Amino acid sequence: MPEKEKKKLDLKIREMPKQHEDIRRQNFDEVALGYPANIAIEEAIRCLQCKKPKCVANCPVEIDIPGFIKCIAEKDFALGTKILKQKNLLPAVCGRVCPQEEQCEKGCILHKKGGAVAIGRLERFLADWEATQGEPPVPSIPPATGKTVAIVGGGPAGLTVAGDLINLGHDVTIFEALHEMGGVLIYGIPEFRLPKAIVKREVNYLKKLGVKIVTNYVVGKTKKLDNLLKEFDVVFVGSGAGLPWFMEIPGENLNGVYSANEYLTRMNLMKGFQFPEYDTPIKNHKRVAVIGGGNVAMDCARTAIRLGADEVQIIYRRSRDELPARLEEVENAEEEGVVFHFLTLPVRYIGDENGWIKEIECLKMELGEPDASGRRRPVPIEGSEYIIPMDAAICAIGNNPNPLIPDTTPGLEMGKWGNIKADEETGKTSKDRVWAGGDVVSGAATVILAMGAGRIAARSMHEYLTSS
Amino acid sequence: MFKVIQSEMIVPNMHLLTVEAPDVVQEIMPGQFVILIAEEDGERIPLSISDWDSENGTVSVVFMNVGVTTNKLAALQAGQTIPAVVGPLGLETEIDKFGTVICLGGCYGIGSLYPIARALKKEGNRVITVLEARSSYLFYWEDKLKEVSDQLLFISRDGTKGLRGHVGKLPDIINKTGGAVDRVIINGCTYLSKRGSEITKPLGIKTIVSLAPIMIDGTGMCGVCRVSVGETTRFACVHGPDFDGHEIDWNELLQRRKMYSSEEVIPMRQSKCEDHAHHISD
Ligand SMILES: Cc1cc2nc3c(=O)[nH]c(=O)nc-3n(C[C@H](O)[C@H](O)[C@H](O)COP(=O)(O)OP(=O)(O)OC[C@H]3O[C@@H](n4cnc5c(N)ncnc54)[C@H](O)[C@@H]3O)c2cc1C
Ligand SMILES: Cc1cc2nc3c(=O)[nH]c(=O)nc-3n(C[C@H](O)[C@H](O)[C@H](O)COP(=O)(O)OP(=O)(O)OC[C@H]3O[C@@H](n4cnc5c(N)ncnc54)[C@H](O)[C@@H]3O)c2cc1C
Ligand code: FES
């Protein structure tokens, strides 16, 4: 037997240091602190460097994972970063927020043995290392093609298209509705999970490459998409899924009932936690209910804790096993004191005489037959109504694509859920010279899938631009 | 950055601000609004568009100084810049040949009514513009409005100009037109819109109000601007700001607008007045 196989497998996933829960409950700083170099190297050495790596197959953007991990093991961080960035424009973001446990790490050969290599943490390590090395060099850009590209939306999908097409010599302009770039990365995901400085750094890098950025520009309102098409050769729509769902139950318009988007936007984009230094207020509620069980719900609950709530309860209609949030985030929330009510459905918000929410009426549920998603369908238990006192409720049950662009753009074919229809292989929409990708096509999904869709569209747009 | 072209107080506490925003004016329509930020890291606030100049790429708003952001806007001088002006947002006011239309404006709504009256007049309507204020010195843009109205009437609470009283005088005005009013359009504070709608409802006159709930993004993303219209919830920033005044849940709207009243006074209290007092006593 060769030497290597006899060596006992190291199945110990190296822990990443994080802020203690008693401390982090009281600040908005990042919770997870990242690997120090020596630990990163130890973790990287555990990688078996598979010949046919399943991790790569499971990565939506096909990063050469064993390649960059080998570099870490060999302490060549510069080369590792280079390999990583060949496929991923935003490694510092993805290293933090990607659901690695369902993608690359699930494919890891060591996963079955209980010790998958912590690929996400290693990705983050390299990206953070790079940030300490001063400004990244600007690559040389091929001669200008003279072709113009308009990108609608400055989220991960739009940023990816911009990065890819500027590097191919096209003239790229991003139009963003808000006053800051980054999409959900800026207005949704909280600082304690994804520091905003990281997003700003990536946007600045694109600017240095020559991408033109126009904020405060709502395509469909400021200018119709059809009119943009008169000025640009091609358009990419990456406007995300920013239309919040409400439950349509009585009392939903009471004061103190928020959409997750409102709560998080006040907090992140408008920096409500620094009120009154910053002008946008946010309430410091004492008893907060968050409806939903995804990452968005966890972010709201953990934000409410940090704003000084005494009690934060997550109300979810299925059971713990069905929680769509990442396990890591559920655990973080639990550590920070968030209480979970499973198999519970709010049916009514009850207000006080001034129009503020004071109670939520809920119904107990039990799990029945599996539904279309394969998960067991929650069914209400008759007569199980009960009331919980609450002074705020945050509705985090999902988002649809914003209808603003479809409503103002004739000829853009739409799907059942208000999503723009785009070809899976190319990102091409039903409208000539218009591509789309990210949450606006898929419905609310993930950062990496939005980036993957951006990459596919960019390739097809480039083909079109160079052949026409 | 957006350059301030003109900034002046036109009547006590009411300001006219004109900014250079060439992108915003390209597809602008009466009844739409902009969101602006007065200074870096400031709040986003919605203001109705009162006028624009497509040639020079400028847009004008009239606002009342009521809090932190309007205070900052009021202090601006020509030549300074502000970080954000985004728009035009919301749907335009429905303009058609209705017949006789009463345009009722109060407060900042006197300004935003102007492009609406202008468009209605152009469409061939008989436009009766009615302005409401506490006292004669609070009316503005009378000349501009006269030009686009068949009739310009005033209601002042102290009787110093036009009819004495408040919006409650509306039936008198309607009666004088022979009762043949096809539509009422109200711009101004929530009370004016609410009272006006309550008055026209029994008279069966279609009434359109421009609502001003709290807003953040103005693109339909946050839902803070939701209002109950009939049986449904609508987002005022994308489905409005205009709605049928007879279908609005006014109490809910008034309550929702007070959501942050306890917070909004905090920065005002920190207006550093104490510091001045300190210096004076030194
Ligand atoms: C709170 C929260 C937590 C999340 N956590 C995770 C996580 O941990 N991991 C993960 O992978 N994913 C997470 N997601 C999902 C992820 O953020 C999204 O899937 C991803 O951001 C989608 O990217 P996008 O570019 O398609 O759209 P977005 O990020 O939504 O960006 C769209 C941009 O377009 C702009 N826009 C919209 N309409 C217009 C218009 N008409 N004109 C101009 N601009 C316009 C918007 O303002 C926005 O900036 C989370 C989402 C939320 C809300
Ligand atoms: C579509 C729309 C169009 C508007 N057009 C105009 C306009 O043309 N001119 C004008 O003067 N005002 C207009 N408003 C109201 C204006 O947005 C508020 O006066 C402004 O947000 C107050 O901000 P502030 O920081 O100065 O005051 P704050 O300190 O935030 O608030 C002071 C007080 O103003 C009221 N207020 C707060 N937010 C709002 C709000 N969004 N809408 C109404 N009242 C509010 C509350 O009573 C609050 O207590 C409009 C609002 C909307 C939604
Ligand atoms: S202001 Fe946010 S949805 Fe209307």
Side-chain angles (χ1 to χ4, degrees):
Chain A
M1 260 197 177
E3 221 5 71
K4 211 172 159 194
E5 293 203 2
K6 264 193 260 159
K7 196 178 84 182
K8 198 165 169 292
L9 279 180
D10 178 356
L11 288 174
K12 198 178 119 219
I13 304 171
R14 300 303 189 268
E15 285 303 320
M16 174 163 59
K18 59 182 186 182
Q19 281 195 67
H20 190 274
E21 53 262 32
D22 291 342
I23 297 172
R24 68 181 198 245
R25 284 174 61 103
Q26 298 171 43
N27 68 46
F28 292 91
D29 301 336
E30 194 172 10
V31 168
L33 302 172
Y35 277 150
N38 60 323
I39 309 283
I41 294 165
E42 278 181 25
E43 182 67 18
I45 290 172
R46 296 204 308 115
C47 172
L48 299 180
Q49 294 291 320
C50 304
K51 287 275 171 322
K52 282 195 187 141
K54 284 256 190 54
C55 53
V56 179
N58 279 6
C59 170
V61 296
E62 297 172 8
I63 297 172
D64 175 6
I65 295 166
F68 83 73
I69 293 186
K70 185 154 183 270
C71 293
I72 300 178
E74 291 168 356
K75 300 189 192 143
D76 189 350
F77 303 147
L79 183 60
T81 309
K82 204 171 149 202
I83 293 174
L84 181 58
K85 290 189 91 170
Q86 271 164 7
K87 289 287 166 82
N88 189 341
L89 182 75
L90 308 170
V93 174
C94 293
R96 286 171 167 81
V97 305
C98 268
Q100 292 100 4
E101 64 283 357
E102 293 187 3
Q103 301 176 5
C104 51
E105 292 175 12
K106 198 175 187 178
C108 178
I109 194 92
L110 297 180
H111 170 67
K112 284 196 199 74
K113 301 195 160 66
V117 175
I119 300 169
R121 294 172 185 177
L122 292 173
E123 177 181 28
R124 168 182 172 166
F125 166 76
L126 277 184
D128 289 356
W129 173 84
E130 192 201 20
T132 64
Q133 302 301 301
E135 299 269 306
V138 176
S140 59
I141 287 183
T145 60
K147 302 286 182 183
T148 54
V149 181
I151 293 170
V152 183
L159 295 175
T160 304
V161 176
D164 284 3
L165 292 182
I166 194 87
N167 277 316
L168 292 164
H170 304 300
D171 183 336
V172 180
T173 310
I174 306 182
F175 295 96
E176 165 57 48
L178 294 171
H179 58 282
E180 296 239 25
M181 291 283 293
V184 170
L185 306 183
I186 280 286
Y187 76 71
I189 303 180
E191 177 80 14
F192 56 80
R193 258 197 329 123
L194 177 64
K196 301 306 153 225
I198 291 173
V199 184
K200 291 197 172 144
R201 193 171 75 219
E202 302 301 346
V203 172
N204 277 335
Y205 178 69
L206 284 179
K207 273 193 210 162
K208 264 203 288 182
L209 293 180
V211 174
K212 285 172 247 171
I213 286 173
V214 184
T215 46
N216 301 307
Y217 200 105
V218 185
V219 174
K221 286 282 153 191
T222 308
K223 186 169 280 178
K224 307 249 175 348
L225 190 88
D226 280 333
N227 291 333
L228 266 191
L229 279 169
K230 292 181 189 151
E231 294 165 32
F232 291 87
D233 293 316
V234 289
V235 174
F236 173 81
V237 181
S239 52
L243 181 79
W245 290 344
F246 285 94
M247 298 186 62
E248 294 175 21
I249 57 176
E252 210 153 28
N253 292 347
L254 287 166
N255 287 355
V257 181
Y258 304 83
S259 74
N261 280 358
E262 182 195 345
Y263 195 70
L264 294 170
T265 298
R266 278 188 185 277
M267 190 64 191
N268 300 317
L269 178 69
M270 305 312 296
K271 309 198 175 65
F273 63 96
Q274 295 183 52
F275 179 82
E277 285 85 70
Y278 289 74
D279 294 340
T280 307
I282 189 159
K283 293 268 178 193
N284 300 342
H285 299 288
K286 289 299 162 204
R287 293 177 61 101
V288 180
V290 180
I291 324 296
N295 285 325
V296 182
M298 301 306 137
D299 284 345
C300 292
R302 297 174 67 198
T303 296
I305 293 266
R306 284 163 175 75
L307 283 168
D310 296 332
E311 245 177 85
V312 178
Q313 312 192 357
I314 285 194
I315 299 182
Y316 180 55
R317 63 194 180 122
R318 302 180 196 249
S319 70
R320 193 174 202 281
D321 289 342
E322 287 88 24
L323 276 176
R326 297 183 63 191
L327 184 62
E328 188 182 319
E329 301 308 334
V330 176
E331 286 170 356
N332 277 329
E334 280 171 335
E335 281 172 13
E336 288 165 17
V338 173
V339 176
F340 287 76
H341 290 268
F342 296 111
L343 292 166
T344 306
L345 181 77
V347 289
R348 183 162 68 106
Y349 299 110
I350 301 162
D352 68 11
E353 63 281 5
N354 297 316
W356 278 90
I357 176 177
K358 64 169 188 186
E359 288 163 341
I360 305 181
E361 183 178 320
C362 295
L363 210 54
K364 276 282 170 205
M365 312 287 278
E366 60 191 357
L367 289 180
E369 295 298 306
D371 63 12
S373 71
R375 297 178 299 178
R376 292 176 64 194
R377 187 198 304 272
V379 275
I381 303 176
E382 233 174 277
S384 65
E385 291 86 353
Y386 68 107
I387 283 178
I388 345 180
M390 224 25 104
D391 52 30
I394 303 164
C395 193
I397 58 168
N399 286 303
N400 263 3
N402 192 316
L404 226 160
I405 291 183
D407 283 354
T408 52
T409 313
L412 197 58
E413 203 181 320
M414 307 298 300
K416 200 161 80 189
W417 301 104
N419 53 309
I420 296 180
K421 276 198 180 166
D423 184 82
E424 263 179 46
E425 316 268 277
T426 60
K428 188 96 203 44
T429 69
S430 61
K431 204 171 164 75
D432 194 33
R433 296 190 287 131
V434 180
W435 282 256
D439 280 4
V440 72
V441 170
S442 60
T446 60
V447 173
I448 194 73
L449 288 173
M451 293 178 64
R455 167 132 310 155
I456 287 171
R459 200 177 294 147
S460 164
M461 291 165 84
H462 177 61
E463 261 169 36
Y464 172 86
L465 288 172
T466 45
S467 67
S468 62
Chain B
M1 282 298 198
F2 299 79
K3 194 164 142 204
V4 175
I5 301 298
Q6 183 192 10
S7 167
E8 61 173 297
M9 186 160 88
I10 44 178
V11 292
N13 210 34
M14 195 71 71
H15 298 255
L16 170 66
L17 178 72
T18 302
V19 288
E20 206 170 65
D23 285 336
V24 174
V25 296
Q26 296 192 20
E27 299 184 13
I28 217 164
M29 299 295 271
Q32 290 189 294
F33 64 96
V34 287
I35 284 186
L36 12 89
I37 300 182
E39 61 179 41
E40 222 50 68
D41 297 316
E43 194 177 7
R44 297 168 64 94
I45 69 157
L47 295 174
S48 310
I49 296 165
S50 297
D51 208 355
W52 62 91
D53 178 339
S54 306
E55 230 158 81
N56 294 313
T58 63
V59 50
S60 301
V61 290
V62 171
F63 65 90
M64 188 153 79
N65 187 348
V66 292
V68 179
T69 306
T70 44
N71 215 337
K72 286 175 182 169
L73 289 175
L76 287 170
Q77 311 219 329
Q80 287 183 299
T81 57
I82 57 174
V85 180
V86 56
L89 300 170
L91 300 176
E92 66 259 34
T93 298
E94 188 192 353
I95 303 288
D96 207 334
K97 187 153 188 213
F98 301 114
T100 299
V101 184
I102 290 186
C103 291
L104 172 61
C107 181
Y108 65 79
I110 296 177
S112 59
L113 210 50
Y114 169 66
I116 297 170
R118 182 173 59 190
L120 286 168
K121 180 80 190 141
K122 202 169 156 212
E123 199 63 39
N125 292 282
R126 176 169 165 235
V127 178
I128 302 173
T129 301
V130 181
L131 307 183
E132 200 239 48
R134 254 188 305 122
S135 186
S136 58
Y137 65 89
L138 293 170
F139 293 112
Y140 57 94
W141 281 18
E142 288 142 83
D143 291 343
K144 281 179 85 150
L145 280 160
K146 201 179 259 162
E147 244 174 68
V148 297
S149 313
D150 292 276
Q151 237 182 316
L152 180 61
L153 304 171
F154 300 88
I155 308 174
S156 58
R157 240 151 297 165
D158 61 3
T160 47
K161 188 158 191 165
L163 296 172
R164 184 197 183 99
H166 50 64
V167 58
K169 289 280 173 220
L170 196 57
D172 297 352
I173 293 172
I174 294 171
N175 283 338
K176 273 197 208 126
T177 64
V181 174
D182 297 289
R183 182 171 285 233
V184 174
I185 296 176
I186 311 179
N187 274 214
C189 76
T190 308
Y191 289 99
L192 181 75
S193 304
K194 173 176 186 277
R195 276 299 294 140
S197 301
E198 283 164 358
I199 289 168
T200 57
K201 193 168 184 176
L203 302 176
I205 306 172
K206 176 107 174 163
T207 300
I208 302 298
V209 291
S210 176
L211 299 187
I214 293 173
M215 292 186 178
I216 303 178
D217 58 298
T219 66
M221 181 270 277
C222 74
V224 68
C225 63
R226 58 198 192 276
V227 285
S228 293
V229 184
E231 295 293 297
T232 55
T233 292
R234 311 290 272 160
F235 288 7
C237 70
V238 285
H239 304 132
D242 280 9
F243 293 102
D244 184 332
H246 299 158
E247 293 195 12
I248 303 295
D249 182 339
W250 292 102
N251 288 338
E252 177 188 283
L253 178 65
L254 287 166
Q255 274 166 340
R256 286 189 65 78
R257 292 215 19 207
K258 284 193 207 131
M259 210 168 336
Y260 290 94
S261 42
S262 52
E263 279 77 12
E264 269 147 359
V265 297
I266 299 171
M268 295 303 275
R269 287 213 193 102
Q270 295 187 341
S271 57
K272 308 269 182 332
C273 290
E274 304 88 333
D275 297 2
H276 290 298
H278 204 68
H279 287 303
I280 293 163
S281 63
D282 271 353

